[in-house]
Amino acid sequence: MNTLSDDELQSLLRKREDFFLENVIESDRTLQRVQAMIAAAGLSSRFVREPANPFVNLRHGVISAIPLIGPLWVLGLAAIQLGRPSADVTLKQTAEQSVSVIFSRNPRGA
């Protein structure tokens, strides 16, 4: 719906500050554009699909058990994070039409 020109997108990426894109209709194409621009800047990127509400389809009985499994969930997520390769920029899709662009604190190409 809301479109950015390549120059506008490049300007956002040059700032090397976190930002997000909403109302992204062609998310695959947009992600490819962003990844190409990041690579052209000499930075690495990774893509993560992480819904804002992963529990949306769970039944209420399971949701009530979350306080019991919460600590295990957090430990599991931490273990996954440790196993992931580091990247200068993380592209996180939190919804079907929403993408966050998150820069690491110490990008290698900076």
Side-chain angles (χ1 to χ4, degrees):
M1 236 182 302
N2 301 329
T3 58
L4 288 175
S5 70
D6 284 344
D7 290 337
E8 291 171 319
L9 187 56
Q10 189 70 36
S11 175
L12 281 172
L13 291 168
R14 258 190 236 119
K15 292 179 184 178
R16 295 196 179 178
E17 296 176 1
D18 299 350
F19 64 92
F20 62 93
L21 302 171
E22 290 184 334
N23 299 326
V24 179
I25 298 297
E26 297 177 358
S27 61
D28 291 339
R29 185 170 160 256
T30 301
L31 287 169
Q32 288 173 350
R33 280 178 51 206
V34 172
Q35 287 175 317
M37 289 178 183
I38 291 168
L43 300 173
S44 63
S45 66
R46 69 182 172 125
F47 173 74
V48 178
R49 182 169 275 119
E50 193 172 291
N53 184 3
F55 304 111
V56 72
N57 294 323
L58 291 180
R59 295 182 162 227
H60 293 290
V62 175
I63 290 174
S64 65
I66 288 175
L68 301 173
I69 61 172
L72 294 174
W73 181 267
V74 170
L75 287 173
L77 289 178
I80 290 170
Q81 292 290 339
L82 289 174
R84 286 185 180 158
S86 63
D88 298 317
V89 184
T90 300
L91 305 170
K92 186 187 296 187
Q93 186 171 16
T94 54
E96 192 62 36
Q97 296 180 343
S98 176
V99 176
S100 296
V101 179
I102 305 162
F103 287 83
S104 69
R105 294 177 193 212
N106 300 313
R108 289 174 281 170

